């Protein structure tokens, strides 16, 4: 694709002269203008709408609704880093990004952050729609103002988002189930551990669980699946107590599936109690999970490439509002299976 710099070189003029011709400004002789226009026509040069935006001094604002994170161990730190990187790159095009944070265990926190977002009058919005009902309640406020919105990490079907970037959660759950079935005997039992409050409705987590359980059901695999809900996840000792009680009560459990990055809590428990015969599968490659994977406490991790979700989400929105580039409806990211052998 030919650039303004290429045209300037072919026409033997400055880039500024080419820019004046493109934007129909004065100060260029008719002969030079015709020569430049001929080169543009010959090479099918398309005017970059971003350049037009700069010429017109147009400014864009992107609003972001994402769970809060405090350390690099938090999953949401990675998409945030991707968002920050993309925001830095598009800043030169007079496009700013403003983030609103919420507690991903608290629907009220989500609602309050969404209200602030709606009041911000943005040109486009990136959302993590963890809470199904609450998200659907506020989307009409964006649609009424013709504000395009895009989802990352959590897919919400039946709405008017321009695109979704993230894994197919059902498929990732099925992959986890397939790997667990390979690790276990038919007589072994499985513990599925949820880490969230009972009132929450985390769509991606629910779909991972559905994918996991449906795999065993559809394949007629006889392993019994038990469920455990952990509420006080900030206290490792309480987590340990609940897990050990469950393993004692069901002594045939040989596999544990955690459909979130909190798999490290279970790994800590297994390591402390020297339960090396329990197979463990979870999500996301933060530093603590990486160490447990290297030490074989975790057998498999399913990574979501969370950085790219945030980065590509912002870039997709920018291309949509600044360059009229229509994205694919579903931009599913690869489901990457990590083991001790394929991590650095």
């Amino acid at each position: 694709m030919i650039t303004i710099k290429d045209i300037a070189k072919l026409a033997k003029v400055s880039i500024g002269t080419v820019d004046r011709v493109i934007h129909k400004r004065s100060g260029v002789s008719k002969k030079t203008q015709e020569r430049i226009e001929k080169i543009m026509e010959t090479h099918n040069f398309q005017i970059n709408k971003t350049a037009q935006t700069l010429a017109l001094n147009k400014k864009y604002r992107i609003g972001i609704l994402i769970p809060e994170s405090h350390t690099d161990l938090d999953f949401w730190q990675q998409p945030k880093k991707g968002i920050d990187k993309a925001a830095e790159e598009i800043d030169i095009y007079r496009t700013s990004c403003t983030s609103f944070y919420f507690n991903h265990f608290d629907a009220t926190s989500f609602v309050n952050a969404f209200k602030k977002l709606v009041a911000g009058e943005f040109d486009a919005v990136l959302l993590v729609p963890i809470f199904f009902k609450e998200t659907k309640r506020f989307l009409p406020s964006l649609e009424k103002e013709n504000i395009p919105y895009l989802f990352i990490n959590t897919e919400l079907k039946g709405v008017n988002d321009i695109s979704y970037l993230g894994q197919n959660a059902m498929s990732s759950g099925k992959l986890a189930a397939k790997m667990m079935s390979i690790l276990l005997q038919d007589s072994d039992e499985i513990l599925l551990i949820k880490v969230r409050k009972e009132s929450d409705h985390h769509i991606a987590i629910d779909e991972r669980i559905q994918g996991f359980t449906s795999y065993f059901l559809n394949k007629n695999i006889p392993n019994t699946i038990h469920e455990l809900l952990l509420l006080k996840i900030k206290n490792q000792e309480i987590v340990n107590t609940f897990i050990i009680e469950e393993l004692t009560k069901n002594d045939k459990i040989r596999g544990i599936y955690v459909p979130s990055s909190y798999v490290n809590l279970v790994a800590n428990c297994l390591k402390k109690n020297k339960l090396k015969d329990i197979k463990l599968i979870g999500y996301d490659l933060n530093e603590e999970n990486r160490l447990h994977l290297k030490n074989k406490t975790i057998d498999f991790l399913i990574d979501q490439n969370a950085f790219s979700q945030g980065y590509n989400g912002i870039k997709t929105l920018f291309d949509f509002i600044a360059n009229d580039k229509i994205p694919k409806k579903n931009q599913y990211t690869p489901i990457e299976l990590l083991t001790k052998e394929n991590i650095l």
Side-chain angles (χ1 to χ4, degrees):
M1 182 181 294
I2 194 167
T3 66
I4 293 177
K5 184 177 180 180
D6 296 328
I7 295 171
K9 187 175 181 181
L10 290 170
K12 298 180 180 180
V13 296
S14 69
I15 292 174
T17 299
V18 176
D19 186 71
R20 282 193 289 273
V21 172
I22 289 173
H23 297 105
K24 304 187 184 305
R25 293 195 294 268
S26 61
V28 182
S29 70
K30 186 175 181 180
K31 184 177 179 180
T32 301
Q33 178 180 335
E34 289 175 349
R35 186 166 73 253
I36 291 171
E37 288 176 343
K38 175 110 176 132
I39 293 170
M40 290 168 57
E41 182 180 356
T42 300
H43 293 274
N44 193 29
F45 176 75
Q46 300 294 317
I47 296 175
N48 187 331
K49 196 166 181 252
T50 300
Q52 290 182 316
T53 297
L54 289 172
L56 296 171
N57 201 29
K58 172 69 176 175
K59 295 181 180 180
Y60 290 116
R61 300 178 67 236
I62 296 175
I64 300 152
L65 185 65
I66 187 172
E68 60 193 5
S69 59
H70 304 289
T71 72
D72 280 342
L73 290 180
D74 293 336
F75 167 79
W76 295 107
Q77 190 71 206
Q78 292 307 307
K80 180 181 181 300
K81 287 180 178 180
I83 287 168
D84 291 344
K85 174 65 175 173
E88 180 182 348
E89 291 179 6
I90 64 176
D91 180 67
I92 62 171
Y93 301 117
R94 299 191 179 97
T95 301
S96 63
C97 295
T98 304
S99 295
F100 299 86
Y101 300 101
F102 63 93
N103 181 337
H104 70 283
F105 286 118
D106 186 353
T108 300
S109 171
F110 178 81
V111 168
N112 291 338
F114 212 141
K115 287 179 179 177
K116 294 176 182 178
L117 175 81
V118 170
E121 299 182 353
F122 293 100
D123 296 290
V125 168
L126 181 149
L127 303 168
V128 180
I130 284 178
F131 300 98
F132 175 80
K133 291 185 293 185
E134 290 78 6
T135 300
K136 295 197 79 171
R137 172 183 160 193
F138 283 97
L139 290 181
S141 301
L142 300 176
E143 293 168 0
K144 182 180 178 182
E145 301 299 326
N146 294 315
I147 300 172
Y149 56 89
L150 170 152
F151 299 139
I152 67 167
N153 183 262
T154 303
E155 187 175 10
L156 184 57
K157 298 181 176 69
V159 294
N160 298 315
D161 57 307
I162 65 167
S163 188
Y164 161 69
L165 289 90
Q167 283 186 351
N168 182 311
M170 285 281 287
S171 294
S172 76
K174 290 177 182 178
L175 175 61
K178 182 175 183 177
M179 301 315 298
M180 186 67 80
S181 70
I182 292 172
L183 293 173
L184 302 182
Q185 303 294 321
D186 287 350
S187 59
D188 293 334
E189 299 185 0
I190 299 166
L191 182 61
L192 192 161
I193 298 182
K194 305 177 189 178
V195 183
R196 56 180 179 153
K197 294 182 180 179
E198 291 178 294
S199 61
D200 285 351
H201 188 85
H202 193 311
I203 304 165
I205 299 295
D206 287 347
E207 289 190 348
R208 288 174 193 167
I209 292 171
Q210 290 173 31
F212 186 86
T213 55
S214 68
Y215 181 87
F216 285 91
L217 182 64
N218 295 335
K219 298 287 185 179
N220 293 315
I221 301 174
N223 302 96
T224 300
I225 300 176
H226 305 275
E227 290 192 9
L228 173 65
L229 176 66
L230 296 177
L231 297 179
K232 297 181 179 180
I233 62 171
K234 292 185 178 180
N235 189 315
Q236 182 70 56
E237 289 305 314
I238 293 178
V239 168
N240 293 353
T241 299
F242 277 105
I243 293 174
I244 296 302
E245 283 182 0
E246 195 69 26
L247 295 177
T248 302
K249 184 170 60 176
N250 300 290
D251 60 5
K252 291 185 178 181
I253 291 174
R254 291 293 178 270
I256 298 178
Y257 172 54
V258 184
S260 73
S261 59
Y262 290 109
V263 64
N264 58 78
L265 296 173
V266 180
N268 290 338
C269 174
L270 298 184
K271 183 178 180 181
K272 180 178 181 181
N273 291 278
K274 300 180 179 179
L275 297 172
K276 297 181 180 180
D277 59 335
I278 302 291
K279 305 302 182 184
L280 179 59
I281 297 176
Y283 284 76
D284 305 319
L285 192 64
N286 60 40
E287 190 55 37
E288 190 169 0
N289 288 349
R290 181 193 297 271
L291 291 175
H292 282 305
L293 193 62
K294 283 188 172 182
N295 295 330
K296 295 185 178 180
T297 311
I298 295 175
D299 293 273
F300 294 110
L301 282 174
I302 296 175
D303 191 53
Q304 304 179 70
N305 200 345
F307 177 93
S308 72
Q309 292 180 23
Y311 179 85
N312 292 328
I314 293 297
K315 283 302 192 73
T316 297
L317 279 178
F318 174 72
D319 280 339
F320 183 81
I321 59 177
N323 296 320
D324 292 332
K325 186 174 179 180
I326 308 298
K328 289 174 58 178
K329 179 68 172 177
N330 294 315
Q331 301 184 56
Y332 289 128
T333 55
I335 301 173
E336 186 175 5
L337 188 67
L338 302 179
T339 69
K340 176 185 177 181
E341 289 74 23
N342 68 351
I343 59 169
L344 298 177

